[in-house]
Amino acid sequence: MEPRFLHQTRTAGCAHAADPADPAYAADDLDAALAARLPGAWRVHYHVPLHAPPEPPLTSTVPVLRAALAALLAGPTAGCDHLDVETYTWGVLPAARRPRTDAELAVGIAAELAFARDELVTLGLTPAERAVPTTLGVRR
């Protein structure tokens, strides 16, 4: 397992626990979750590109991401004014999925950012390039 990042693990029961960090339902890293034999289905924080499904047996949490974006951003007033897309963990992907060149890295990051943009547009947000006037007035 990749050693630099924590892989926080939570079970479905965690949402019902009085304390979301309750060790009966949560662990700070995957090794601890395995050792504790946490019950039920797990959600593990693991760095994978948004736009690409993970390798089995892992499954994507894109539906959870979409629900969170809708809760934060859909409707008349956004619940936040910015989002982060983490693009610094490409070097810890499995070797077969890791970019081999700077050009491949740039293509991967661009695809991930485009995925995030498209999800926001689906919620009704306007891309910045459409919000900018096509002609600029110049004052002399």
Side-chain angles (χ1 to χ4, degrees):
M1 178 179 350
E2 186 284 312
R4 290 182 291 185
F5 302 102
L6 290 177
H7 303 94
Q8 297 92 343
T9 304
R10 304 293 183 262
T11 70
C14 185
H16 305 293
D19 177 5
D22 182 339
Y25 301 102
D28 285 338
D29 210 338
L30 188 55
D31 292 343
L34 290 166
R37 297 180 171 264
L38 296 180
W42 297 359
R43 181 172 298 145
V44 180
H45 177 154
Y46 200 83
H47 296 268
V48 295
L50 290 172
H51 69 284
E55 294 181 27
L58 301 178
T59 58
S60 173
T61 58
V62 167
V64 175
L65 169 68
R66 287 181 175 136
L69 289 174
L72 286 171
L73 302 172
T77 306
C80 67
D81 61 1
H82 74 281
L83 297 170
D84 291 332
V85 176
E86 294 179 345
T87 60
Y88 61 88
T89 57
W90 288 78
V92 298
L93 291 174
R97 297 190 74 177
R98 194 176 307 148
R100 294 180 301 273
T101 65
D102 288 346
E104 287 179 2
L105 175 62
V107 167
I109 290 173
E112 189 167 29
L113 294 173
F115 176 91
R117 180 207 55 224
D118 292 347
E119 291 298 319
L120 298 175
V121 168
T122 297
L123 289 173
L125 297 171
T126 304
E129 66 267 15
R130 292 188 194 158
V132 175
T134 55
T135 58
L136 298 175
V138 178
R139 295 175 74 174
R140 295 180 191 232

